[in-house]
Amino acid sequence: MTDPVTPKQASFRAITQARLTHGVRGQALDTASTLAFALDHARAREAVMSELDAADMAKTFEALDLPNQSVRSAATTRDMFVQRPDLGRQLPTDQNQGLKGIGPVDVALVLGDGLSAIAASLNGPAFMATLSGAISSLGWTASPVILAHNARVALGDKIAQAIGAQTVVMALGERPGLSAADSLGVYITHRPQCDTADSARNCISNIREDGLAVGAAAQQALALIEAMRATNKSGVALSEVLALDAAKAPGIAPLSSQTKA
């Protein structure tokens, strides 16, 4: 039998999915909380080991009238990807050559599995479709959606260089926690290089049904790309410029308050 939820517990649970105020059980949680923990742990493990279904994703993008192309990182298996993060950042020569001729473009659109192919499948197509349409409406050129297997964030830099893109939008499944295994993260980098530091990226995170809505995330991404093109900066350098602009116009919140580098 589940104990009644106190007003204090209810107030916490209304604003977070984190495990708080479960009540005192000596050294253990109550049965319902223990079972919920086990389920969320299983979901997190499933997300990490899940693989991108390229054929199914391609059909989804075709239905959205978005061209797409698949690549893979140097991590040839999922186990290798988990154990060797460095290989997930490398683009093999044959994969690089397969991207030649796509660009040059203003923006490279990359959707990778990252640490949750489930998140990429659930939230990636809608995000890419919304952002691609917004980019086109501004008269910029975008690449086909590049579906990247066993991909880490920095793989987007190599893809952007192969395509000849000024800016890369790398969307991929975030590391799952015990409250969310379906969260998509988006990393945007202007003029990426092979040795680009993470401090040169801007990140929009927690894109999922119970987090940041896809439409709002696409709007933030578009605003960041516009700011990058205007300042020729991204990451911490861009956040500093936006913060300075906000200080000059106090009524306008800087984008850096909505994203993290």
Side-chain angles (χ1 to χ4, degrees):
M1 180 176 178
T2 303
D3 291 344
V5 176
T6 67
K8 182 179 180 181
Q9 291 172 328
S11 65
F12 274 112
R13 294 182 189 180
I15 60 174
T16 179
Q17 293 176 304
R19 287 178 169 76
L20 300 173
T21 66
H22 282 294
V24 178
R25 291 291 184 280
Q27 298 299 314
L29 295 173
D30 61 83
T31 301
S33 298
T34 300
L35 293 175
F37 179 91
L39 175 60
D40 286 339
H41 186 258
R43 285 173 173 162
R45 290 176 61 87
E46 178 188 29
V48 170
M49 298 310 297
S50 60
E51 297 190 34
L52 202 65
D53 188 336
D56 185 65
M57 292 287 281
K59 291 179 181 178
T60 299
F61 281 114
E62 287 169 7
L64 293 169
D65 199 27
L66 278 179
N68 62 91
Q69 184 170 332
S70 294
V71 298
R72 58 172 174 78
S73 73
T76 55
T77 67
R78 196 63 184 171
D79 285 338
M80 185 183 295
F81 168 77
V82 172
Q83 296 168 15
R84 291 285 306 275
D86 59 311
L87 295 180
R89 303 183 186 106
Q90 299 176 22
L91 186 67
T93 301
D94 63 322
Q95 301 296 298
N96 184 299
Q97 291 299 317
L99 295 172
K100 299 296 184 183
I102 291 179
V105 294
D106 294 315
V107 183
L109 300 177
V110 187
L111 176 60
D113 41 18
L115 288 167
S116 175
I118 293 172
S121 298
L122 288 175
N123 305 298
F127 172 81
M128 285 295 176
T130 303
L131 182 58
S132 178
I135 288 172
S136 296
S137 71
L138 292 179
W140 303 339
T141 56
S143 72
V145 178
I146 308 301
L147 299 173
H149 295 257
N150 292 334
R152 300 278 178 171
V153 174
L155 185 69
D157 301 341
K158 283 73 173 183
I159 292 173
Q161 288 187 301
I163 292 174
Q166 291 187 18
T167 308
V168 58
V169 177
M170 179 67 170
L172 73 177
E174 295 183 318
R175 185 186 305 276
L178 290 175
S179 59
D182 60 347
S183 180
L184 188 75
V186 174
Y187 296 81
I188 308 175
T189 311
H190 191 58
R191 300 194 182 281
Q193 303 297 319
C194 288
D195 57 352
T196 295
D198 287 339
S199 60
R201 313 185 196 285
N202 293 85
C203 174
I204 305 170
S205 62
N206 196 35
I207 304 168
R208 60 191 183 98
E209 184 176 357
D210 293 325
L212 180 64
V214 166
Q219 289 178 352
Q220 288 189 21
L222 187 68
L224 281 168
I225 296 170
E226 286 185 288
M228 290 174 186
R229 291 170 63 86
T231 63
N232 205 30
K233 300 178 184 295
S234 63
V236 173
L238 176 62
S239 296
E240 290 174 347
V241 170
L242 295 175
L244 181 61
D245 289 344
K248 295 177 181 177
I252 302 175
L255 281 171
S256 55
S257 68
Q258 303 169 352
T259 61
K260 60 182 181 181

